[in-house]
Amino acid sequence: SMGQPLPPVAITGCGCISAAGIDCNEALETISQFTVNNRLTSSPFFPDSFSAPCFFAGEISQITNSFFRFGGSEDSFFFWNRRFYLVFKAISEALEMALADMEVLREKRVGVALGTTVGSTFHYEDYYLDWKNGTTPDPAVMQHFLSSNLAAATQDTLKLRGPKAVITNACASGTDAVGLAAIWLEQG
């Protein structure tokens, strides 16, 4: 009821992938040292190379191992886009930290609240370049984009059921996603 303190929420695992690091430990180390990992980057969108905080997310084998270990199937691996593989890398870290038993989780109602600053900003570049160059892009790309909600993809891959949301609102995305997840837990 109103005015009653809510029960505490225990967080047993977390995952992170950001310009500060490819996992929680690396990100915390980078932040605690006040360092920035700038690397030279380029793109068809940017005429000149420039230095920006970016990272190498890991060998594809690291991502595929996590993907298959937590329930991904061979036929779905190539359907998802690279945003999903980055998300799945962070989710795998959280599941490993929490010592999650996937069979137990699949029997429960499990919400997925994801925070991402990137959202879909750096995906489907060829589609946008086609528009920029005056050609008609393949509409199948947009169909794939519209069907690739990161939280829904996570639930589908892990075979979970429950509420799902992707928070994409710049720097506060992760914090807002944690807050939303806490509300879900507090409300049962």
Side-chain angles (χ1 to χ4, degrees):
S1 70
M2 296 293 288
Q4 301 252 341
L6 296 171
V9 174
I11 298 174
T12 59
C14 63
C16 174
I17 189 162
S18 71
I22 62 166
D23 58 29
C24 290
N25 288 333
E26 188 175 309
L28 287 172
E29 182 70 23
T30 299
I31 292 167
S32 68
Q33 293 180 4
F34 301 102
T35 59
V36 176
N37 295 321
N38 281 352
R39 296 200 174 97
L40 196 62
T41 187
S42 63
S43 162
F45 288 103
F46 307 113
D48 299 315
S49 294
F50 62 94
S51 180
C54 56
F55 59 90
F56 177 65
E59 296 295 332
I60 192 71
S61 62
Q62 292 174 307
I63 297 171
T64 56
N65 290 343
S66 294
F67 182 80
F68 295 122
R69 184 172 56 252
F70 288 109
S73 66
E74 191 80 33
D75 58 335
S76 69
F77 182 74
F78 293 103
F79 173 75
W80 303 116
N81 58 49
R82 65 181 166 199
R83 295 175 299 132
F84 175 70
Y85 299 119
L86 294 174
V87 164
F88 206 82
K89 189 170 189 321
I91 289 169
S92 298
E93 179 184 9
L95 291 171
E96 289 167 3
M97 187 184 295
L99 303 174
D101 181 332
M102 293 309 298
E103 294 307 313
V104 170
L105 286 178
R106 288 182 183 121
E107 294 173 7
K108 305 208 177 285
R109 190 168 175 252
V110 177
V112 176
L114 300 174
T116 174
T117 299
V118 174
S120 61
T121 306
F122 298 113
H123 200 64
Y124 305 113
E125 289 94 345
D126 292 336
Y127 180 86
Y128 299 112
L129 283 173
D130 284 347
W131 278 111
K132 181 179 177 184
N133 295 328
T135 60
T136 303
D138 181 1
V141 173
M142 276 297 107
Q143 292 296 327
H144 185 258
F145 171 77
L146 294 172
S147 67
S148 62
N149 175 291
L150 295 174
T154 300
Q155 282 189 327
D156 288 348
T157 299
L158 297 176
K159 299 169 188 70
L160 301 173
R161 60 181 177 76
K164 56 188 165 279
V166 178
I167 311 292
T168 307
N169 61 358
C171 297
S173 300
T175 305
D176 288 351
V178 169
L180 177 62
I183 290 168
W184 288 345
L185 290 170
E186 290 166 346
Q187 294 179 351

